[in-house]
Amino acid sequence: MHIDILTLFPPMVESFFTSSIMSRAVEKGLVDYSIINFRDFATDPHHKCDDLPYGGGAGMVLKCDPLCKALESIGARDKRVIYPSPSGRLFTQSYAQELSGEESLVFICGHYEGLDQRVIDTYVDDEISIGDYVLSSGESATTVIIDAVYRLLDGVIASESLEDESFSDQLLEYPQYTRPERYCTKSVPDVLLSGHHERIATWRVFRKLEKTMLSRPEVLSRASLDLEVRRRLIDLINEMKG
Ligand code: ADE
């Protein structure tokens, strides 16, 4: 997958590509990327990229010209262009899955009061919000979206890890433990030390249901659970009722 990122602050995204799992994906050739400072496309003497909003109001708006020139330089009309913004469609695991099927993605990192609407109308395919809160820059939202997408590419992460994790079966993940068996006053649940695979699997399903029910009940109501899991859920509700 090729990823282009248009930003006024390249260091905010550079470290993401040169660290941890992403740096290995880049080394393996599974991901390649270009970070484009669109200030380089501003032609005025001060390389100005923002201006006051028409109609008045607070803040500054990112101008059309430097952004459009940067987008044309990478052939953005033929690529899927994403603009992370609090007014976009909500980002989810299934949205990440859909984007992971693309050969290339372009991200425009907004700042201040956002982009001139004409840039959005001409180039942007997806305006995406990562949650109902406002960040001060589009760079952090961009790296959140890229992180959720690239790890789904074949070869980045072991497929068993992807199968086990939160949202892969529309439930939150079960709790994990590692050595030592006892730390301070807390012990690892006995069942995980039993070596009994079926009991461990049942325990994990219970804990997933419990965690989802307590933390994100609305996720549970959307999940399409198979009959066995629904039975476990009823058992759990009865157990909780006492
Ligand atoms: N930029 C600022 N806030 C954002 C949000 N919640 N999601 C995506 N991009 C943003």
Side-chain angles (χ1 to χ4, degrees), residues 140-180:
S140 35
T142 291
T143 55
V144 166
I145 297 169
I146 296 171
D147 196 342
V149 171
Y150 91 95
R151 61 194 296 287
L152 301 175
L153 300 177
D154 279 348
V156 173
I157 280 179
S159 51
E160 311 85 71
S161 309
L162 294 179
E163 278 161 25
D164 269 359
E165 69 191 11
S166 295
F167 295 112
S168 60
D169 60 1
Q170 299 158 308
L171 295 174
L172 306 189
E173 209 179 334
Y174 49 80
Q176 299 275 20
Y177 298 85
T178 188
R179 279 180 285 196

Side-chain angles (χ1 to χ4, degrees), residues 44-219:
D44 70 289
H46 296 103
H47 298 282
K48 201 168 150 52
C49 290
D50 58 351
D51 211 333
L52 295 167
Y54 275 118
M60 301 292 269
V61 176
L62 290 170
K63 289 157 68 72
C64 288
D65 198 53
L67 265 172
C68 292
K69 285 192 171 125
L71 285 160
E72 286 298 332
S73 79
I74 54 164
R77 286 179 199 260
D78 302 321
K79 295 178 176 177
R80 190 151 175 183
V81 178
I82 295 166
Y83 169 44
S85 129
S87 358
R89 201 179 124 200
L90 192 64
F91 192 54
T92 59
Q93 187 65 22
S94 58
Y95 207 157
Q97 231 126 25
E98 185 201 323
L99 295 178
S100 70
E102 296 287 338
E103 263 175 36
S104 62
L105 295 173
V106 177
F107 288 84
I108 305 174
C109 303
H111 266 267
Y112 321 117
E113 289 306 302
L115 319 185
D116 188 304
Q117 185 61 35
R118 291 166 291 185
V119 179
I120 300 174
D121 295 343
T122 312
Y123 294 96
V124 171
D125 299 295
D126 303 65
E127 198 169 335
I128 301 180
S129 165
I130 61 161
D132 291 337
Y133 41 80
V134 180
L135 303 167
S136 56
S137 72
E139 281 77 5
S140 35
T142 291
T143 55
V144 166
I145 297 169
I146 296 171
D147 196 342
V149 171
Y150 91 95
R151 61 194 296 287
L152 301 175
L153 300 177
D154 279 348
V156 173
I157 280 179
S159 51
E160 311 85 71
S161 309
L162 294 179
E163 278 161 25
D164 269 359
E165 69 191 11
S166 295
F167 295 112
S168 60
D169 60 1
Q170 299 158 308
L171 295 174
L172 306 189
E173 209 179 334
Y174 49 80
Q176 299 275 20
Y177 298 85
T178 188
R179 279 180 285 196
E181 274 181 41
R182 197 169 167 78
Y183 183 69
C184 299
T185 56
K186 303 214 185 294
S187 298
V188 174
D190 289 340
V191 62
L192 298 180
L193 309 173
S194 69
H196 196 299
H197 298 300
E198 216 179 289
R199 260 193 259 148
I200 292 173
T202 305
W203 180 87
R204 285 180 167 165
V205 173
F206 262 89
R207 297 291 78 85
K208 280 162 88 115
L209 289 168
E210 186 179 63
K211 202 163 179 188
T212 313
M213 212 153 57
L214 291 172
S215 305
R216 300 285 304 276
E218 80 287 5
V219 169

Side-chain angles (χ1 to χ4, degrees), residues 6-31:
L6 276 66
T7 171
L8 288 174
F9 302 95
M12 287 181 76
V13 280
E14 264 153 15
S15 62
F16 177 70
F17 286 94
T18 53
S19 317
S20 186
I21 301 170
M22 176 56 106
S23 70
R24 288 205 296 275
V26 172
E27 269 166 33
K28 285 192 205 164
L30 302 170
V31 173

